[in-house]
Amino acid sequence: MAASVSAAELEGSATPREGPTVPTKTPITNAADVAVPGEGWSNDKTRGRESANPTVVAMVEQQFPGALAEGEFIDKLVILLEQNNVVVGDNSLLATSFCCDEVNRSLDSKLCEAFGGQNFSMGGLAGFPFGGVTSFGAFSHHIPKPGGSAVVVYAPHVGVDSTGVVGKVDRRGMPASGACCGSACAALNFCKEQLEKDQAEQFTPQVDFLDAQQAWVGQALLPHGKEVVDASNPMAQLPRALYTAQKEAMHKIITAAAPGNVPENTPLVLVGGIQINTPTGTPDFFLPLQCELRSPAGEVQADLLAELTDPNDTKWMSPERPNDTSETISG
């Protein structure tokens, strides 16, 4: 099995550590200068733009360039899909594959509000789509028809705590920030142990129901373990490696399960990226890395990523859209 994560890592009570060295970039020194886009859909845990932590925002910009505040990401996605004749709202069905961690439920909730009010959950530890072919097949049969649409969003996640440390997050009620994603950190520790062994001594996969998902996360990360360990900031590279593994898994699932299950003439939208969790008072972020319009058989029809991430596109700021820039979602 993969190495187990410590209680301190999973519960967020690990002792704070010094932040990693990051590429030089002019930091944001005034919270008022932080551009926090309008949160088109929000819950009751809102904070004003003035409370955004400039240290956190600057670190997100340095380590995850192109990341969008969650609300901006959703608003831009909705408008982009509408422009491509994809139905959104009550006649769409959302499937998500995010980590079990409670810090990720904000994105789940806001996506649900944009895409019909409910979501089909495929994800497990670290965001891997553990529901697999069976869950995607069931999801496909729940898509409204005729005239509905299917939207699938998947992502691993990583935290940035109030001091700017990547790989940790400040959790409600905890005395200090702790590991985020704890499952990913445990998998990385497992990879380090395996890389230190001779090839003949390396891990043989085992199946244990009590921790099957964590064992899988460790195995999925292992081919990418060296690139993470050797990175200038391993905690920033870790979610990228997990994303690569999850993208491969999602592609296999859709290839196997979409044909014959997704209703005829139903657009299938696949969005992948990295969730970035932040402290209360600063919006969580999403780094889009994939946005594709696919046929009911799962074949790529259009790559929409460039349009989704276009920094010059301000259509999402239209007054016809909810756009109260005084509110953001707490991390």
Side-chain angles (χ1 to χ4, degrees):
M1 285 179 56
S4 60
V5 63
S6 69
E9 286 178 317
L10 287 179
E11 297 301 326
S13 58
T15 302
R17 67 175 186 272
E18 185 177 347
T21 301
V22 299
T24 301
K25 183 175 180 178
T26 303
I28 297 174
T29 58
N30 189 333
D33 295 333
V34 179
V36 181
E39 298 290 336
W41 290 273
S42 63
N43 58 24
D44 59 352
K45 295 182 179 178
T46 58
R47 296 292 186 274
R49 179 171 66 176
E50 67 278 1
S51 64
N53 184 320
T55 300
V56 174
V57 175
M59 184 60 71
V60 171
E61 291 179 342
Q62 289 174 343
Q63 296 297 329
F64 303 99
L68 306 172
E70 275 186 359
E72 178 186 357
F73 159 64
I74 296 172
D75 281 351
K76 293 186 75 169
L77 177 62
V78 167
I79 290 179
L80 178 61
L81 297 185
E82 289 175 338
Q83 291 173 337
N84 283 271
N85 300 314
V86 176
V87 173
V88 298
D90 290 342
N91 221 31
S92 59
L93 183 62
L94 170 72
T96 60
S97 186
F98 302 144
C99 183
C100 315
D101 195 323
E102 73 275 6
V103 297
N104 299 316
R105 303 289 71 82
S106 169
L107 181 56
D108 255 339
S109 297
K110 284 183 279 185
L111 283 168
C112 283
E113 291 187 44
F115 296 102
Q118 296 176 319
N119 70 298
F120 194 107
S121 181
M122 297 178 63
L125 288 179
F128 276 89
F130 284 107
V133 168
T134 298
S135 70
F136 189 90
F139 160 73
S140 300
H141 287 276
H142 299 172
I143 299 168
K145 57 181 182 285
S149 65
V151 179
V152 180
V153 185
Y154 70 96
H157 73 117
V158 64
V160 178
D161 75 7
S162 58
T163 65
V165 175
V166 178
K168 303 183 78 173
V169 76
D170 304 271
R171 297 178 185 275
R172 177 174 53 86
M174 302 301 293
S177 65
C180 181
C181 165
S183 172
C185 291
L188 181 57
N189 289 336
F190 162 75
C191 291
K192 290 177 179 177
E193 292 174 0
Q194 299 306 308
L195 291 171
E196 291 173 355
K197 296 179 180 179
D198 294 333
Q199 187 171 2
E201 301 176 330
Q202 286 188 356
F203 176 78
T204 300
Q206 300 177 17
V207 176
D208 187 340
F209 173 78
L210 295 180
D211 211 11
Q213 288 193 8
Q214 186 58 43
W216 176 268
V217 175
Q219 279 297 295
L221 181 62
L222 191 55
H224 310 280
K226 190 175 188 306
E227 71 185 57
V228 176
V229 172
D230 292 344
S232 59
N233 188 337
M235 288 297 100
Q237 183 63 27
L238 179 56
R240 290 178 166 89
L242 290 170
Y243 166 79
T244 299
Q246 291 175 21
K247 180 180 180 181
E248 180 182 0
M250 191 63 79
H251 173 74
K252 290 179 179 179
I253 290 169
I254 290 176
T255 299
N261 286 315
V262 176
E264 188 176 351
N265 299 320
T266 298
L268 172 62
V269 180
L270 181 62
V271 180
I274 297 173
Q275 279 184 275
I276 304 165
N277 309 117
T278 63
T280 297
T282 299
D284 284 351
F285 290 82
F286 190 89
L287 175 62
L289 297 172
Q290 181 182 30
C291 184
E292 296 174 346
L293 181 59
R294 298 191 174 210
S295 71
E299 300 166 338
V300 178
Q301 295 182 319
D303 187 338
L304 305 178
L305 182 62
E307 296 176 67
L308 179 62
T309 57
D310 181 2
N312 297 315
D313 180 11
T314 58
K315 290 187 291 295
W316 66 277
M317 296 285 286
S318 167
E320 297 179 0
R321 290 277 162 188
N323 182 38
D324 181 0
T325 56
S326 67
E327 291 189 342
T328 62
I329 301 300
S330 61

